[in-house]
Amino acid sequence: MAAAEGAVPLQVGFVGAGRMAEAIARGLIRAGKVEARNVVASAPTNRNLCHFQALGCRTTHANQEVLQSCFLVFLATKPHVLPAVLVEVAPVVTAEHILVSVAGGVPLSTLEELLPPSTRVLRISPNLPCVVQEGAVVMARGRWASNSEAKLLQTLLAACGWCEEVPEAYVDIHTGLGGSGVAFVCAFSEALAEGAIKMGMPSDLAYRIAIQTLLGTAKLLLQDGRHPAQLRMDVCTPGGTTIHGLHALEQGGLRAAAMSAVEAATSRAKELTRK
């Protein structure tokens, strides 16, 4: 999304410079959506700002300076810090601004309450694979954000992986599925590899095979657009190895445990939102 000749280039700001903010910025820059020199990030110390500086971005310790430089700003602070930051930057928020919250557990209603009336606000929930531009991101818009703002954000965040607009009620569910799900998948891949180690395979090889199997399976599902059950049945043959293994997984309650894990993580996300 490089600016056309004679057009004003897109300026993107980040209030907060943690890992997720860096991942989004890195994705935007790598995909050519924005030039590094047109990215401005703020944080209280240089601890995380050095990562933005390494990308060629501008940095500051003044949050208001970010909003004075950019009309599109990602609010990427810790959730418990965000309300105070909103009060701090509110005096420099204008009708031109589009503010995008990355903070989990802070609803759109709180953002709109602490910002000037009619501020265009959106909320996104990314996950860690955004770091390698393979993330799953959902976004929800506030009352004054229009289709054009939603489309702009969706186009930009495609640089971080996959992005889709959803009702705000789904954001907490995504936290339990796409956010916490990264850890659940890691736990499952560990268990797969450990099964092979138990049967005598060297650990390094077992982990590489387990991880590559997860990657390949995900690509098959995405490229073919099939339901996981279809691919699962393709791998099964009557009386074969896979159906015996699946029987063992069912005996161990894999499906129920996975569903309960997403439910527990989602419930916790909703609790944090209510605080």
Side-chain angles (χ1 to χ4, degrees):
M1 190 178 287
E5 187 175 352
V8 177
L10 180 64
Q11 306 272 340
V12 178
F14 291 85
V15 174
R19 191 170 189 189
M20 197 57 67
E22 180 196 348
I24 294 171
R26 189 180 296 274
L28 296 179
I29 293 167
R30 282 183 176 174
K33 304 285 187 181
V34 62
E35 294 185 36
R37 63 182 179 178
N38 294 324
V39 174
V40 186
S42 66
T45 69
N46 288 326
R47 187 181 67 175
N48 291 326
L49 289 178
C50 61
H51 301 299
F52 278 82
Q53 292 164 357
L55 290 172
C57 306
R58 292 177 287 151
T59 60
T60 176
H61 296 304
N63 293 331
Q64 287 193 356
E65 185 178 333
V66 175
L67 280 87
Q68 289 166 339
S69 302
C70 310
F71 82 88
L72 175 62
V73 178
F74 289 88
L75 303 169
T77 68
K78 297 291 186 183
H80 69 279
V81 174
L82 184 57
V85 169
L86 292 174
V87 171
E88 176 193 349
V89 302
V92 296
V93 173
T94 70
E96 301 300 315
H97 280 106
I98 302 170
L99 302 184
V100 183
S101 173
V102 188
V106 182
L108 288 166
S109 58
T110 297
L111 300 172
E112 291 174 338
E113 179 183 340
L114 295 175
L115 291 167
S118 302
T119 300
R120 295 176 292 175
V121 177
L122 299 99
R123 181 182 172 196
I124 67 171
S125 177
N127 65 355
L128 191 56
C130 285
V131 173
V132 291
Q133 287 74 59
E134 291 292 352
V137 186
V138 297
M139 67 174 182
R141 71 173 89 166
R143 285 178 290 174
W144 293 286
S146 68
N147 288 337
S148 61
E149 285 86 51
K151 185 177 180 180
L152 170 64
L153 186 59
Q154 192 168 18
T155 300
L156 289 173
L157 291 178
C160 299
W162 166 91
C163 178
E164 185 167 324
E165 183 175 4
V166 299
E168 188 178 18
Y170 293 178
V171 173
D172 289 334
I173 302 174
H174 177 266
T175 300
L177 175 60
S180 300
V182 173
F184 306 156
V185 170
C186 286
F188 180 63
S189 65
E190 275 189 281
L192 281 179
E194 287 166 356
I197 294 167
K198 179 181 179 182
M199 299 309 296
M201 181 178 283
S203 60
D204 286 350
L205 178 59
Y207 283 115
R208 288 201 304 273
I209 292 174
I211 293 167
Q212 186 64 37
T213 300
L214 290 174
L215 174 63
T217 302
K219 283 190 173 182
L220 276 172
L221 290 170
L222 286 172
Q223 289 176 4
D224 294 350
R226 288 187 292 175
H227 191 281
Q230 292 176 294
L231 183 55
R232 173 174 57 81
M233 291 308 299
D234 286 348
V235 181
C236 283
T237 56
T241 60
T242 304
I243 193 63
H244 279 74
L246 286 170
H247 186 204
L249 289 177
E250 293 293 348
Q251 287 179 318
L254 173 71
R255 290 172 185 264
M259 291 170 67
S260 294
V262 174
E263 181 182 9
T266 300
S267 296
R268 179 56 178 162
K270 290 180 177 179
E271 288 174 6
L272 294 173
T273 301
R274 288 193 292 268
K275 287 185 177 181

